[in-house]
Amino acid sequence: MDETSYYLSELSVPERNPEEELEEKRERLLQEIAEYHGPGKGYTNRLRKFMETNGIWELKDLDYGWRIQYEKELKKELRPDRLRWHLRGFDHLKQYSMRKSGRLWAERKPPGYFYENCVLFLPYHPVQELVKRMDNAQERPDWIWDFSLPVSEQMKRQIYACLNYFLKEKGDAGLLRTRLSALQMFYQFCAEKRIEDIEQINLLQTQEYQRVTEEKNPEAFRILNICRKVLFLQAEEIHWNANVWYLERLHLESERMNPAKLVVSLSFVEVTHDGNRRLLQKYMKYGLGLTNLTINSLQSEMLDIREILQGMKEDACEITESQMIRYLRQLQEQKIKPETFNRKLMALQHFYNFLLAKRYIFKIPFRVEYYLKKTMPMHHNRSVSQEIEEEILNNLYQLPEHLRLMYLHLWGLGLRISEVCRLKGDAYYIQGRDAWIQIYQTKMKNYKRIPIPWALYQLMQVYLKRNGITADKYVFPNTKGGAYRSGTFRAQMIGWCKRQKFHNGEYLFRPHDYRHKIATYFYDSGVSLQGIRDYLGHNYEEMTQQYIDYMPRKIEKASQEFFKKQGNSLAACLKGGGEE
């Protein structure tokens, strides 16, 4: 058929009668509604008439705007208690249409894929799988999200991403209600304050939001940090300019992490000078990516630098020597130990060495050797007395099994609390006729192996078998299966000791004291300093010496040996009329 013939054939098709088209649309609409057999089936007739009157011929064309119009018309005819059921029937039909169209695949798309600059009524969320648990819930104000507001598009997309995250989050309906209510309040705050980027919220804005939530909903303040974390973790690329970093996103080597004292995030919000905050972020990015320092050490140094930068009004790259002298004098005036002052000063020196190496500056504005304070080695007697040990051991049965065993590792082996908390099932083994334990030392980046009492080995074998703890599992897991937090263990033991009123209520549980006790016991028993150093896992003997409370006992022992010798006793001296 040529073009002319085709054109003539098209012209020969008779025009359809508008009434016939309208009747056909009514039939299709009636058929579509008739196919629905879910909740609200009995409320469809009134809705069908509403749709016909307004020229809505498919269920998919229903939206929140039409729902509002439908509600206005119903209010003229129905009592409030009947109104809710008709609206619910409207919602069920709309959701039926969406779910029938097979858009559930959309859940696999990125969170912002279906964002639209319009009002979102949550039951009509494009990913219906996320809102199924709302089908039978009572309608709430926080189901309505107005993304048409004339505010930052980036901020609105961020709120939408967090909203999707909370809808996906597993939990009961109460948790979802709490999340949505708090997020709604946070969205309103961001819109009112014209916030461009949630990850860039500064200290003043954070404090203002905290004041707002304290008056209305104290729990809502937590949503700020939750949103920061969601956005940082879900980003396709790492947001190095975010004011808070969440280390879970960085996939750092496990050897650099201490699971018993886990560093979850690094906050730069406290540095109010934008330029200085960016410099500190660059320094920490370098530390995380190009050094092999443990994360706890990096965090400690960052906190020291951050404290100094918090007070700086000038750009750290442009600060003069006289201005730096003023800040260092302020640091000197703080009531801190010389060791602490020197640590902070060296952290600042490392920061400026980085700036120098990166050509941000061409000269460091201070001479660190001018300010370092003289430190005197001090030894504190921290060994636990035998009386207190006996009190605790006699009452140890009152504690849960895992706390009893954790305490025995401190008391009997002198391990660090973090070492106890991150022990794994393969830590215990037999070599020859002796029982041993191996512990990974994060600080030293190596394993140490020490002998343990046979009784402790047997106790642990029973415990491991009964609890099904395999070689790669933590011996003392937290509720999520990770390593037991050292802070949690410490707090539980302190609370128990206070309730028991050990040593007339004066004893304060300090887990590190048991390392001092073990070191002192070994030294007093004739073990060499080098042997104790290897047992404790130190690199230097100077560190080991700080753990040995040996002087009083050494003097007493030497005194006893002296007076045991014939002629050295005081009585012999008196009888012989010896000189003073």
Side-chain angles (χ1 to χ4, degrees), residues 137-345:
Q138 188 172 351
E139 185 179 339
R140 293 168 50 85
D142 50 35
W143 284 11
I144 304 167
W145 295 80
D146 189 357
F147 291 113
S148 66
L149 295 176
V151 294
S152 166
E153 282 297 307
Q154 181 180 4
M155 183 273 290
K156 289 192 290 186
R157 288 179 179 273
Q158 290 174 329
I159 292 290
Y160 183 73
C162 293
L163 176 61
N164 283 340
Y165 175 84
F166 295 141
L167 292 173
K168 289 180 182 179
E169 193 177 24
K170 293 181 180 179
D172 57 20
L175 175 63
L176 180 60
R177 288 195 299 269
T178 301
R179 291 275 200 258
L180 293 184
S181 177
L183 186 62
Q184 187 79 265
M185 183 183 295
F186 181 51
Y187 178 39
Q188 292 170 1
F189 173 83
C190 291
E192 290 171 6
K193 300 303 175 182
R194 300 288 170 174
I195 288 172
E196 298 285 330
D197 183 349
I198 290 173
E199 291 187 284
Q200 294 294 316
I201 288 178
N202 60 39
L203 183 61
L204 292 177
Q205 292 167 331
T206 300
Q207 292 171 342
E208 185 175 0
Y209 181 61
Q210 186 171 17
R211 287 193 297 269
V212 169
T213 55
E214 283 175 351
E215 296 172 1
K216 298 180 180 179
N217 181 2
E219 289 296 320
F221 180 68
R222 295 182 60 248
I223 209 72
L224 169 56
N225 286 330
I226 295 174
C227 287
R228 280 172 169 160
K229 183 175 182 179
V230 169
L231 296 172
F232 192 83
L233 295 182
Q234 288 192 346
E236 291 186 13
E237 296 182 357
I238 297 173
H239 289 175
W240 294 110
N241 64 335
N243 284 348
V244 181
W245 297 351
Y246 294 88
L247 302 191
E248 179 184 343
R249 175 71 172 80
L250 306 183
H251 305 295
L252 300 165
E253 302 93 330
S254 59
E255 292 78 10
R256 300 176 66 187
M257 309 288 286
N258 181 354
K261 195 178 179 182
L262 198 61
V263 178
V264 176
S265 62
L266 298 175
S267 174
F268 305 91
V269 177
E270 293 75 9
V271 182
T272 55
H273 189 288
D274 291 342
N276 292 344
R277 184 170 61 252
R278 298 288 171 252
L279 290 173
L280 182 57
Q281 288 173 324
K282 290 178 185 294
Y283 179 62
M284 289 308 297
K285 183 180 178 181
Y286 158 77
L288 290 168
L290 297 178
T291 73
N292 200 32
L293 294 173
T294 66
I295 304 306
N296 293 82
S297 298
L298 275 173
Q299 184 200 41
S300 177
E301 183 165 88
M302 190 209 81
L303 294 177
D304 287 335
I305 300 169
R306 192 182 74 182
E307 180 186 347
I308 298 172
L309 294 181
Q310 278 179 251
M312 273 192 191
K313 298 179 181 179
E314 302 84 2
D315 190 311
C317 292
E318 299 176 1
I319 193 168
T320 65
E321 189 171 350
S322 59
Q323 289 171 330
M324 180 60 80
I325 289 173
R326 185 173 73 250
Y327 290 117
L328 293 179
R329 282 177 179 170
Q330 291 175 358
L331 185 62
Q332 285 177 321
E333 292 169 0
Q334 294 181 14
K335 294 181 179 179
I336 55 178
K337 295 179 180 179
E339 294 86 350
T340 305
F341 175 85
N342 291 347
R343 188 197 71 216
K344 293 178 182 292
L345 189 62

